[in-house]
Coordinates of all heavy atoms in Angstrom, one line a residue:
E26 N 16.0 -19.4 60.2 CA 15.0 -20.0 61.2 C 13.7 -20.3 60.4 O 13.2 -19.6 59.7 CB 14.7 -19.0 62.3 CG 13.7 -19.4 63.3 CD 13.3 -18.3 64.2 OE1 13.5 -17.1 63.8 OE2 13.0 -18.5 65.3
F27 N 13.1 -21.4 60.8 CA 11.9 -21.9 60.2 C 10.7 -21.0 60.7 O 10.7 -20.6 61.8 CB 11.5 -23.3 60.6 CG 10.2 -23.7 60.2 CD1 9.8 -23.9 58.9 CD2 9.3 -23.9 61.2 CE1 8.5 -24.4 58.7 CE2 7.9 -24.2 61.1 CZ 7.6 -24.5 59.8
V28 N 9.8 -20.7 59.8 CA 8.7 -19.8 60.1 C 7.3 -20.5 59.9 O 6.6 -20.7 60.9 CB 8.6 -18.5 59.4 CG1 7.4 -17.6 59.7 CG2 10.0 -17.6 59.7
A29 N 7.1 -21.1 58.7 CA 5.9 -21.7 58.4 C 6.0 -22.5 57.2 O 6.9 -22.2 56.3 CB 4.7 -20.6 58.2
T30 N 5.2 -23.5 57.1 CA 5.2 -24.3 55.7 C 3.9 -24.8 55.5 O 2.9 -24.9 56.3 CB 6.2 -25.5 55.8 OG1 6.3 -26.2 54.6 CG2 5.7 -26.5 56.9
I31 N 3.5 -25.1 54.2 CA 2.3 -25.6 53.8 C 2.5 -26.7 52.6 O 3.3 -26.4 51.7 CB 1.4 -24.5 53.2 CG1 0.0 -25.0 52.9 CG2 1.9 -23.7 52.1 CD1 -1.0 -24.0 52.6
S32 N 1.9 -27.8 52.7 CA 2.0 -28.8 51.6 C 1.1 -28.4 50.5 O 0.1 -27.8 50.7 CB 1.6 -30.2 52.2 OG 0.2 -30.2 52.6
W33 N 1.6 -28.6 49.2 CA 1.0 -28.0 48.1 C -0.4 -28.7 47.8 O -1.2 -28.0 47.3 CB 1.8 -28.0 46.9 CG 1.7 -27.0 46.0 CD1 1.3 -27.0 44.6 CD2 1.7 -25.5 46.3 NE1 1.0 -25.8 44.1 CE2 1.4 -24.9 45.0 CE3 2.0 -24.9 47.3 CZ2 1.3 -23.5 45.0 CZ3 2.0 -23.5 47.4 CH2 1.7 -22.8 46.1
K34 N -0.4 -29.9 47.9 CA -1.7 -30.7 47.6 C -2.7 -30.7 48.8 O -3.9 -30.4 48.5 CB -1.3 -32.0 47.1 CG -0.6 -32.1 45.8 CD -0.6 -33.5 45.3 CE 0.2 -33.6 44.0 NZ 0.4 -35.0 43.5
G35 N -2.2 -31.0 49.9 CA -3.2 -31.2 51.0 C -3.4 -29.8 51.8 O -4.5 -29.9 52.5
G36 N -2.5 -29.0 51.7 CA -2.7 -27.7 52.4 C -2.4 -27.8 54.0 O -2.9 -27.0 54.6
R37 N -1.6 -28.8 54.3 CA -1.3 -28.9 55.7 C -0.3 -27.9 56.2 O 0.7 -27.6 55.4 CB -0.8 -30.4 56.0 CG -1.9 -31.5 55.8 CD -1.2 -32.9 56.1 NE -0.1 -33.1 55.1 CZ -0.2 -33.7 54.0 NH1 -1.4 -33.9 53.5 NH2 0.8 -33.9 53.2
K38 N -0.6 -27.2 57.3 CA 0.2 -26.2 57.7 C 1.0 -26.4 59.0 O 0.4 -27.1 59.9 CB -0.7 -24.9 57.8 CG -1.4 -24.5 56.6 CD -2.4 -23.4 57.0 CE -3.2 -22.9 55.8 NZ -4.3 -21.9 56.1
Y39 N 2.1 -25.9 59.2 CA 2.9 -26.0 60.4 C 3.6 -24.6 60.6 O 4.1 -24.0 59.7 CB 3.9 -27.1 60.3 CG 3.4 -28.4 60.0 CD1 3.2 -28.9 58.8 CD2 2.8 -29.3 61.1 CE1 2.7 -30.2 58.5 CE2 2.2 -30.6 60.9 CZ 2.2 -30.9 59.6 OH 1.6 -32.2 59.3
Y40 N 3.6 -24.1 61.9 CA 4.2 -22.9 62.2 C 5.2 -23.1 63.3 O 5.2 -24.0 64.3 CB 3.1 -22.0 62.8 CG 2.0 -21.6 61.8 CD1 0.9 -22.3 61.7 CD2 2.2 -20.6 60.9 CE1 -0.1 -22.1 60.8 CE2 1.3 -20.3 59.9 CZ 0.0 -21.0 60.0 OH -0.9 -20.7 59.0
A41 N 6.2 -22.3 63.4 CA 7.1 -22.1 64.5 C 6.3 -21.6 65.7 O 5.4 -20.7 65.6 CB 8.3 -21.2 64.2
D42 N 6.7 -22.0 66.9 CA 6.0 -21.6 68.1 C 6.1 -20.0 68.2 O 5.2 -19.5 68.7 CB 6.6 -22.2 69.3 CG 6.3 -23.7 69.4 OD1 5.3 -24.1 68.8 OD2 7.0 -24.4 70.2
S43 N 7.1 -19.4 67.7 CA 7.3 -17.9 68.0 C 6.3 -17.1 67.2 O 6.0 -16.0 67.4 CB 8.7 -17.6 67.6 OG 9.0 -17.9 66.2
V44 N 5.6 -17.7 66.1 CA 4.7 -17.1 65.3 C 3.3 -17.6 65.3 O 2.5 -17.0 64.8 CB 5.3 -16.9 63.8 CG1 6.6 -16.4 63.7 CG2 5.2 -18.3 63.2
K45 N 3.1 -18.7 65.9 CA 1.8 -19.3 66.0 C 0.8 -18.4 66.7 O 0.9 -17.8 67.7 CB 1.9 -20.6 66.8 CG 0.7 -21.6 66.6 CD 1.0 -22.9 67.2 CE 2.2 -23.6 66.6 NZ 2.5 -24.9 67.3
G46 N -0.3 -18.2 66.0 CA -1.4 -17.3 66.4 C -1.3 -15.9 65.8 O -2.2 -15.2 65.9
R47 N -0.1 -15.6 65.3 CA 0.0 -14.3 64.7 C 0.2 -14.4 63.2 O -0.2 -13.4 62.5 CB 1.3 -13.6 65.3 CG 1.1 -13.4 66.8 CD 2.3 -12.5 67.3 NE 3.5 -13.1 67.1 CZ 4.6 -12.6 66.4 NH1 4.4 -11.4 65.8 NH2 5.7 -13.3 66.2
F48 N 0.9 -15.4 62.7 CA 1.1 -15.5 61.2 C 0.2 -16.6 60.6 O -0.1 -17.6 61.3 CB 2.6 -16.0 61.0 CG 3.6 -14.8 61.3 CD1 3.3 -13.7 62.0 CD2 5.0 -15.0 60.9 CE1 4.3 -12.8 62.3 CE2 5.8 -14.1 61.2 CZ 5.5 -12.9 61.9
T49 N -0.1 -16.5 59.4 CA -0.9 -17.4 58.6 C -0.3 -17.7 57.2 O -0.1 -16.6 56.5 CB -2.4 -16.9 58.5 OG1 -2.9 -16.7 59.8 CG2 -3.2 -18.0 57.7
I50 N -0.1 -18.9 56.9 CA 0.4 -19.2 55.6 C -0.7 -19.8 54.8 O -1.5 -20.5 55.3 CB 1.6 -20.3 55.6 CG1 2.2 -20.4 54.3 CG2 1.1 -21.5 56.2 CD1 3.6 -21.3 54.3
S51 N -0.8 -19.4 53.5 CA -1.8 -19.9 52.6 C -1.2 -20.0 51.2 O -0.1 -19.6 50.9 CB -3.0 -18.9 52.6 OG -2.6 -17.6 52.1
R52 N -2.0 -20.7 50.3 CA -1.5 -20.9 49.0 C -2.6 -20.6 47.9 O -3.8 -20.8 48.3 CB -0.9 -22.3 48.8 CG -2.1 -23.4 48.8 CD -1.6 -24.6 49.1 NE -2.5 -25.8 48.7 CZ -3.6 -26.2 49.2 NH1 -3.9 -25.6 50.4 NH2 -4.3 -27.2 48.8
D53 N -2.3 -20.3 46.7 CA -3.2 -20.3 45.6 C -2.6 -21.2 44.5 O -1.6 -20.8 43.8 CB -3.3 -18.8 45.1 CG -4.4 -18.7 44.0 OD1 -4.5 -19.7 43.2 OD2 -4.9 -17.6 43.9
N54 N -3.1 -22.4 44.4 CA -2.4 -23.4 43.5 C -2.5 -22.9 42.0 O -1.5 -23.1 41.3 CB -3.2 -24.8 43.7 CG -2.9 -25.4 45.1 OD1 -3.3 -24.7 46.1 ND2 -2.4 -26.4 45.1
A55 N -3.6 -22.3 41.7 CA -3.7 -21.9 40.3 C -2.7 -20.8 39.9 O -2.2 -20.8 38.8 CB -5.2 -21.3 40.0
K56 N -2.3 -20.0 40.8 CA -1.3 -19.0 40.6 C 0.1 -19.3 41.0 O 1.1 -18.6 40.9 CB -1.7 -17.7 41.4 CG -2.9 -17.0 40.8 CD -3.2 -15.7 41.7 CE -4.5 -15.1 41.1 NZ -4.8 -13.8 41.8
N57 N 0.2 -20.5 41.6 CA 1.6 -21.0 42.1 C 2.2 -20.0 43.0 O 3.4 -19.7 42.9 CB 2.5 -21.3 40.9 CG 2.0 -22.5 40.0 OD1 1.5 -23.6 40.6 ND2 2.1 -22.3 38.7
T58 N 1.4 -19.6 43.9 CA 1.8 -18.4 44.9 C 1.5 -18.9 46.3 O 0.4 -19.5 46.6 CB 1.1 -17.2 44.6 OG1 1.4 -16.8 43.2 CG2 1.6 -16.1 45.5
V59 N 2.5 -18.6 47.2 CA 2.2 -18.8 48.6 C 2.3 -17.4 49.3 O 3.0 -16.5 48.9 CB 3.3 -19.8 49.2 CG1 4.7 -19.1 49.1 CG2 3.0 -20.1 50.7
Y60 N 1.5 -17.2 50.4 CA 1.4 -16.0 51.1 C 1.8 -16.2 52.5 O 1.7 -17.4 53.0 CB 0.0 -15.5 51.1 CG -0.5 -15.3 49.6 CD1 -1.3 -16.2 48.9 CD2 -0.2 -14.1 48.8 CE1 -1.7 -16.1 47.7 CE2 -0.7 -13.9 47.6 CZ -1.4 -14.9 47.0 OH -1.9 -14.8 45.7
L61 N 2.2 -15.1 53.1 CA 2.4 -15.1 54.6 C 1.8 -13.9 55.2 O 2.4 -12.8 55.0 CB 4.0 -15.3 54.9 CG 4.3 -15.4 56.5 CD1 3.8 -16.8 57.0 CD2 5.7 -15.2 56.7
Q62 N 0.7 -14.0 55.8 CA 0.1 -12.9 56.5 C 0.7 -12.8 57.9 O 0.6 -13.8 58.7 CB -1.5 -13.0 56.6 CG -2.2 -12.0 57.2 CD -2.1 -10.6 56.6 OE1 -2.3 -10.7 55.3 NE2 -1.9 -9.6 57.3
M63 N 1.2 -11.7 58.2 CA 1.9 -11.5 59.5 C 1.1 -10.4 60.2 O 1.2 -9.2 59.8 CB 3.4 -11.1 59.3 CG 4.2 -12.0 58.4 SD 5.9 -11.6 58.3 CE 5.8 -10.1 57.3
N64 N 0.5 -10.7 61.4 CA -0.2 -9.8 62.2 C 0.6 -9.6 63.5 O 1.3 -10.4 63.9 CB -1.6 -10.3 62.4 CG -2.5 -10.4 61.2 OD1 -2.3 -9.6 60.2 ND2 -3.4 -11.4 61.2
S65 N 0.1 -8.5 64.3 CA 0.7 -8.2 65.5 C 2.2 -8.3 65.5 O 2.9 -9.0 66.4 CB 0.2 -9.2 66.5 OG -1.3 -9.1 66.7
L66 N 2.9 -7.7 64.5 CA 4.3 -7.8 64.4 C 5.0 -7.1 65.5 O 4.6 -6.2 66.2 CB 4.7 -7.1 63.0 CG 4.4 -8.0 61.9 CD1 4.4 -7.0 60.6 CD2 5.5 -9.0 61.7
K67 N 6.1 -7.8 65.9 CA 7.0 -7.4 66.9 C 8.4 -7.0 66.4 O 8.9 -7.5 65.4 CB 7.2 -8.5 68.0 CG 5.9 -9.1 68.6 CD 6.1 -10.3 69.4 CE 4.8 -10.8 69.9 NZ 5.0 -12.1 70.8
P68 N 9.2 -6.3 67.2 CA 10.5 -5.9 66.8 C 11.4 -7.2 66.5 O 12.2 -7.3 65.7 CB 11.1 -5.0 67.8 CG 9.9 -4.4 68.4 CD 8.8 -5.4 68.3
A69 N 11.1 -8.3 67.3 CA 11.9 -9.4 67.3 C 11.5 -10.1 65.8 O 12.2 -11.1 65.5 CB 11.4 -10.5 68.3
D70 N 10.5 -9.8 65.2 CA 10.1 -10.4 63.8 C 11.1 -9.8 62.7 O 11.0 -10.3 61.6 CB 8.7 -10.2 63.4 CG 7.7 -10.9 64.4 OD1 8.1 -12.1 64.7 OD2 6.7 -10.3 64.8
T71 N 11.8 -8.8 63.0 CA 12.7 -8.1 62.1 C 13.7 -9.2 61.5 O 14.5 -9.7 62.3 CB 13.4 -7.0 62.7 OG1 12.5 -5.9 63.0 CG2 14.4 -6.3 61.7
A72 N 13.8 -9.3 60.2 CA 14.6 -10.2 59.6 C 14.4 -10.2 58.0 O 13.5 -9.6 57.5 CB 14.3 -11.8 60.1
V73 N 15.3 -10.8 57.4 CA 15.1 -11.1 56.0 C 14.2 -12.4 55.8 O 14.6 -13.5 56.3 CB 16.4 -11.3 55.1 CG1 16.1 -11.6 53.7 CG2 17.3 -10.0 55.2

């Protein structure tokens, strides 16, 4: 299932409705790293 995405140059973000307002995707271009901050976690978020 899709959760979140971010464009690498423009930083445009899109979220699944199920996580909107709770999860935040971000990037560090210099480190070539993407992050997913997950707040207010629910049992339904359990997944790989």
Side-chain angles (χ1 to χ4, degrees):
E26 172 190 32
F27 167 75
V28 176
T30 186
I31 184 169
S32 63
W33 208 241
K34 293 184 178 180
R37 297 179 296 276
K38 303 173 182 179
Y39 301 93
Y40 298 94
D42 289 341
S43 59
V44 306
K45 195 172 299 181
R47 298 187 299 119
F48 291 11
T49 302
I50 190 170
S51 61
R52 76 198 197 283
D53 186 331
N54 297 57
K56 295 182 178 180
N57 294 316
T58 300
V59 65
Y60 306 93
L61 185 67
Q62 177 67 43
M63 304 183 294
N64 297 329
S65 302
L66 283 163
K67 306 174 181 179
D70 296 317
T71 296
V73 177

